[in-house]
Amino acid sequence: VNLVQGVLVPTPKSAGSIYIMAKASRGEGFYKTTADGVLAANKAFLNATTTTGASFLPFADGEEPTTGISGMVTDSKVVKYYNLNGTPVAKPVSGVMYITSDGKKLIFK
């Protein structure tokens, strides 16, 4: 079950009602808010009513260590195109500069 929620616009939150993700004195994890404030747009939080009530929730709580990703396999034949803003482009048009997924710059004629 995913208890993480998010906001799309700045949202007022009262003290102690949510946990925010941070890296502070006790390490990386979720810290319970201690003052009223506004949660910035596009931020994630945990609702305090769905948790244990602790002031800090670490990411790893005595569980086995995270192992991470051991490797990736990619199809190197697939070339993706991006405009200069970094937005993916499905169908490049002539006369515009693009950057390919392997970092090359090109202009279609």
Side-chain angles (χ1 to χ4, degrees):
V1 175
N2 184 1
L3 300 177
V4 177
Q5 299 176 10
V7 295
L8 298 176
V9 296
T11 306
K13 294 291 182 181
S14 58
S17 67
I18 63 170
Y19 289 86
I20 56 172
M21 188 169 53
K23 182 177 181 181
S25 61
R26 296 176 70 184
E28 293 177 340
F30 286 93
Y31 288 83
K32 191 176 230 181
T33 57
T34 58
D36 292 345
V38 176
L39 188 62
N42 302 313
K43 295 297 180 181
F45 67 94
L46 287 175
N47 202 338
T49 59
T50 60
T51 58
T52 64
S55 62
F56 173 68
L57 301 171
F59 287 140
D61 190 19
E63 300 172 3
E64 293 182 20
T66 304
T67 58
I69 298 171
S70 60
M72 287 181 47
V73 177
T74 61
D75 185 357
S76 60
K77 296 177 186 175
V78 176
V79 176
K80 295 182 181 180
Y81 300 98
Y82 300 90
N83 64 20
L84 296 180
N85 290 327
T87 306
V89 176
K91 295 182 180 180
V93 296
S94 64
V96 178
M97 179 179 283
Y98 296 99
I99 300 174
T100 64
S101 53
D102 59 355
K104 295 179 183 173
K105 296 177 187 171
L106 56 93
I107 298 176
F108 281 92
K109 292 185 179 185

